[in-house]
Amino acid sequence: MPRPEEQPVPPAPPRDDTRTLATVAHTAFFLLLGASLVRFLLRHPGDPRTPWIVVLSITLALLYVLGPALGTGTGTGTGPALRTGTGTAPRTGAAQALAPTARRLLWLGLVVTTWVVLVVLAPSFAWCAVPLFFTALRTLPPRAAVVLVALLTGFVVIAQLKLSKSFDPNLLLAPPAVAALATAVFVHMERQAQAQRALIDDLIRTRRELAATERREGTLAERQRLSMEIHDALAQNLSSQQMLLQAADRTWDTDPATARAHVRTATGIAAHGLAEARRLVHDLAPSELADGAGLAEALRALDAGPDIEVRFHLEGTPAPLPDRVQSALLRIAQGALANVREHSGARTAALTLSFLGDQVVLDIADDGHGFAEPRTDAAERGHGLPAMRARVRQLGGTLTIESAPGEGTVLSAAIPLEPAP
């Protein structure tokens, strides 16, 4: 997984008001289309245009339904202004940038063309243009969308005047007023969404920068502490040993008793240095395992944040584990839960520690969205999963990951155990 300061900013979920507006617009489109078709059939029974009107109405409905599947922006996602905001991951390559745009334009052209033919045959279908305003604003860049809305509005005015038996000023003024109101509401919502997304992006970047700064400061402080410990304990002991051994070498032939005394003193200093080295190594062990706490208790105390429920299960008969194994499994569990929190969208996670006699296995399962592509050493970015694989590999174990879209992810670390004497 990428380090926090290197991760791309994830796109924000669709706003509730945008999703509601999309639902209302889609519902209004099908209601207006159905009402227009029923009106035509009731007022023009037996008209020779009826088969064409029915076929074109069904075609227009199908095209409108296929819009989200083609990635045309008619779904509940963000509009063009948001798609170009800072929260969307940039595309790479000309083909990736042009293919979706061409598909959107082709789809919108088919929808507008079908609607225009319908209006020419039956002007009562003109009011279906109101939801099409919303579709155009979501599909095209702002300037092109406004131009298309203006053209559609003009066509609606012409169709309504043609349908009316006498001149009505409302038919001349109402469509432009409705179009202007719909455009103003949509543009205002898009700008609000853009501002909200920019604010969220700034907050996320600030949080990650603060976390990175805290990690750097913590690393520097720990390095300084270790350097002082090594200088004051290990380095001084080694220096004393060197001086005593040199003195013993100089007096070995002339004063063997003194030389042996120097060697014995150096041996004592070496034993003290070894004890100091072991103390330093113990201090570097996870704090959760300090004071004799077992691995099971440390795993049971882990959490993945307030929105994720973490459950712990212990299977088999617990056996004493080497400190290296306990530290590795605890770090793997912490890293896996961090990935669950940051990337999976899960609501629950389960930790299972299994003692199988000749090996110990730690499983971390979540109910997140999972992924389809296999996770290999070459495909993994950042330091999360590669670090887990390295820890397990150093202990002669294996790390496996199983996942499928919509079915969550299971990470399993198996470490062999030496047989009891």
Side-chain angles (χ1 to χ4, degrees), residues 161-200:
L161 292 176
K162 179 181 176 181
L163 188 64
S164 177
K165 296 180 180 180
S166 60
F167 177 77
D168 188 348
N170 287 332
L171 298 179
L172 184 64
L173 300 178
V178 172
L181 179 62
T183 303
V185 170
F186 182 84
V187 171
H188 177 69
M189 290 182 59
E190 291 287 76
R191 288 177 178 174
Q192 281 189 326
Q194 254 190 319
Q196 184 187 44
R197 176 169 296 226
L199 178 60
I200 293 175

Side-chain angles (χ1 to χ4, degrees), residues 218-240:
T219 300
L220 292 175
E222 184 65 12
R223 286 178 178 175
Q224 183 178 8
R225 185 187 72 82
L226 288 176
S227 65
M228 295 173 60
E229 292 278 356
I230 293 173
H231 176 270
D232 295 340
L234 299 181
Q236 294 292 344
N237 286 337
L238 291 174
S239 177
S240 300

Side-chain angles (χ1 to χ4, degrees), residues 143-164:
R143 292 184 179 178
V146 170
V147 172
L148 180 58
V149 168
L151 293 176
L152 294 180
T153 303
F155 193 74
V156 169
V157 171
I158 295 174
Q160 291 299 307
L161 292 176
K162 179 181 176 181
L163 188 64
S164 177

Side-chain angles (χ1 to χ4, degrees), residues 21-291:
L21 181 58
T23 303
V24 171
H26 300 336
T27 304
F29 175 81
F30 288 108
L31 288 177
L32 291 172
L33 181 62
S36 300
L37 178 60
V38 172
R39 181 180 185 276
F40 178 84
L41 294 177
L42 292 177
R43 295 198 174 191
H44 305 278
D47 193 292
R49 297 172 295 173
T50 299
W52 290 102
I53 295 296
V54 173
V55 171
L56 288 172
S57 298
I58 295 175
T59 302
L60 182 58
L62 291 176
L63 284 173
Y64 198 86
V65 169
L66 290 176
L70 297 176
T72 57
T74 64
T76 59
T78 55
L82 289 181
R83 286 193 296 271
T84 58
T86 58
T88 305
R91 296 182 180 269
T92 57
Q96 290 177 319
L98 294 177
T101 302
R103 191 161 58 244
R104 286 198 298 270
L105 291 176
L106 176 61
W107 173 84
L108 184 60
L110 290 174
V111 170
V112 172
T113 302
T114 305
W115 173 78
V116 168
V117 175
L118 262 177
V119 174
V120 171
L121 295 176
S124 59
F125 283 86
W127 284 107
C128 293
V130 177
L132 290 182
F133 294 163
F134 176 77
T135 301
L137 289 168
R138 292 180 60 81
T139 305
L140 297 175
R143 292 184 179 178
V146 170
V147 172
L148 180 58
V149 168
L151 293 176
L152 294 180
T153 303
F155 193 74
V156 169
V157 171
I158 295 174
Q160 291 299 307
L161 292 176
K162 179 181 176 181
L163 188 64
S164 177
K165 296 180 180 180
S166 60
F167 177 77
D168 188 348
N170 287 332
L171 298 179
L172 184 64
L173 300 178
V178 172
L181 179 62
T183 303
V185 170
F186 182 84
V187 171
H188 177 69
M189 290 182 59
E190 291 287 76
R191 288 177 178 174
Q192 281 189 326
Q194 254 190 319
Q196 184 187 44
R197 176 169 296 226
L199 178 60
I200 293 175
D201 292 346
D202 290 340
L203 291 176
I204 292 176
R205 280 192 294 268
T206 302
R207 184 184 65 183
R208 289 173 177 168
E209 290 172 359
L210 289 175
T213 301
E214 291 176 356
R215 281 195 302 274
R216 285 193 297 267
E217 292 178 351
T219 300
L220 292 175
E222 184 65 12
R223 286 178 178 175
Q224 183 178 8
R225 185 187 72 82
L226 288 176
S227 65
M228 295 173 60
E229 292 278 356
I230 293 173
H231 176 270
D232 295 340
L234 299 181
Q236 294 292 344
N237 286 337
L238 291 174
S239 177
S240 300
Q241 292 175 50
Q242 182 184 29
M243 294 175 59
L244 289 168
L245 292 176
Q246 288 175 348
D249 182 64
R250 287 193 300 268
T251 61
W252 191 265
D253 294 331
T254 59
D255 192 354
T258 302
R260 291 189 181 92
H262 290 329
V263 171
R264 286 193 295 270
T265 304
T267 302
I269 294 176
H272 180 72
L274 180 60
E276 286 291 330
R278 288 174 176 169
R279 183 185 64 81
L280 287 176
V281 172
H282 181 269
D283 289 344
L284 292 176
S287 59
E288 293 85 354
L289 298 175
D291 300 326

Side-chain angles (χ1 to χ4, degrees), residues 321-396:
L321 296 176
D323 292 342
R324 292 180 60 200
V325 174
Q326 294 190 70
S327 298
L329 292 179
L330 179 60
R331 293 307 190 200
I332 289 172
Q334 291 172 330
L337 290 179
N339 288 343
V340 170
R341 180 177 60 252
E342 295 292 335
H343 307 288
S344 72
R347 304 298 299 175
T348 60
L351 300 178
T352 304
L353 182 65
S354 305
F355 290 89
L356 304 179
D358 60 342
Q359 65 177 350
V360 58
V361 180
L362 175 64
D363 297 316
I364 302 97
D366 66 71
D367 60 354
H369 49 64
F371 50 83
E373 67 277 9
R375 293 296 197 223
T376 61
D377 286 341
E380 291 163 0
R381 299 179 297 148
H383 302 283
L385 290 177
M388 297 181 196
R389 293 189 187 278
R391 290 181 187 276
V392 174
R393 192 180 298 116
Q394 289 173 358
L395 298 173

Side-chain angles (χ1 to χ4, degrees), residues 272-322:
H272 180 72
L274 180 60
E276 286 291 330
R278 288 174 176 169
R279 183 185 64 81
L280 287 176
V281 172
H282 181 269
D283 289 344
L284 292 176
S287 59
E288 293 85 354
L289 298 175
D291 300 326
L295 177 61
E297 288 75 11
L299 292 176
R300 187 177 285 108
L302 293 180
D303 67 82
D307 298 328
I308 301 176
E309 179 184 0
V310 179
R311 303 167 183 167
F312 175 75
H313 306 279
L314 180 64
E315 296 183 358
T317 303
L321 296 176

